[in-house]
Amino acid sequence: MDAIIFDLDGVLVDSEQTWDEVRRAVVAEHGGRWTGEATRAMQGMSTPEWARYLVEELGAALTPERIAEVVIERMADRYAGGPPVLPGAEDTVRAVAQRYPVAIASSSPPVLINAFLDATALTGAVRVAVSSEQVPAGKPAPDVYLEAARRLGVAPTSCAAVEDTTNGLRAAMAAGMTVFAVPNPHFPPDGEVLTKAAVVLGEIGELPRSLSALG
């Protein structure tokens, strides 16, 4: 491996449930109706993609541009006291960064990625941070992972990706990366997709040892 690329939500920050709560509330407030498949469908989508989904598929009576602003403002408010960093996440990134170039490839908007980096003082350890807002398509398309590898200056096939959800795993696999899965306990990934991961971890703190075992 020449580089390690982390997802953010669900891997380093315990935020998948928060995204879900905020989107549900905004949809309900603006006349839309949540559906059983909405949560999983939006995992990995870029901001423009999930904003259109809330309006076009769930019926929220706002423009996609405005609903994105409302949701992100509320997420930023939730992060105001510090993002909900998962146990072991900060130490894991620091440990990995001592051996490899590190990037973040996330569906979160840049403002929330930066909030995480600032709160954890990991800006120096994370060389590249890419939001799916900055590429043509969100996960499960591989775009955000390919862009992170490009900015690091390494081949995607020489990278390991750390992911937690079905769409994230699919994106990293489509980019040709070696995939380490840390299954999200709140939104477990599809079993068939999970079996294609190179390594399945019980928690993020196991990653440095697993990388060492692979050489």
Side-chain angles (χ1 to χ4, degrees):
M1 249 75 72
D2 291 333
I4 311 299
I5 304 178
F6 291 89
D7 176 39
L8 181 64
D9 297 296
V11 170
L12 302 177
V13 179
D14 190 13
S15 53
E16 293 284 11
Q17 291 184 95
T18 307
W19 277 107
D20 200 52
E21 291 167 7
V22 169
R23 287 170 177 153
R24 283 175 182 262
V26 172
V27 167
E29 290 166 15
H30 295 279
R33 176 174 292 185
W34 203 261
T35 64
E37 67 273 10
T39 296
R40 291 186 184 278
M42 284 187 285
Q43 286 175 343
M45 284 186 181
S46 67
T47 300
E49 289 168 341
W50 61 250
R52 288 194 300 270
Y53 189 95
L54 296 180
V55 173
E56 297 171 6
E57 300 296 329
L58 304 185
L62 291 173
T63 65
E65 294 76 16
R66 180 56 187 152
I67 204 166
E69 290 174 355
V70 172
V71 170
I72 293 171
E73 284 170 4
R74 293 194 187 180
M75 287 296 298
D77 287 344
R78 297 283 191 103
Y79 274 38
V85 180
L86 281 161
E90 184 177 341
D91 289 343
T92 296
V93 173
R94 292 190 190 283
V96 171
Q98 290 178 3
R99 293 184 57 198
Y100 303 95
V102 167
I104 288 176
S106 174
S107 300
S108 278
V111 64
L112 298 185
I113 298 173
N114 291 334
F116 166 78
L117 293 173
D118 290 343
T120 56
L122 284 171
T123 303
V126 177
R127 298 189 187 183
V128 166
V130 185
S131 166
S132 57
E133 285 188 10
Q134 300 166 311
V135 296
K139 302 171 186 178
D143 302 32
V144 70
Y145 277 107
L146 295 174
E147 178 63 12
R150 187 191 69 79
R151 293 190 190 185
L152 286 172
V154 298
T157 52
S158 297
C159 296
V162 189
E163 269 288 356
D164 67 311
T165 61
T166 299
N167 284 344
L169 292 167
R170 285 178 172 152
M173 291 171 186
M177 298 184 176
T178 299
V179 180
F180 288 73
V182 189
N184 191 300
H186 309 297
F187 308 105
D190 179 82
E192 184 178 350
V193 176
L194 189 61
T195 62
K196 298 175 182 177
V199 179
V200 179
L201 305 174
E203 49 91 15
I204 191 64
E206 298 173 7
L207 180 64
R209 186 172 55 197
S210 294
L211 288 168
S212 296
L214 290 181

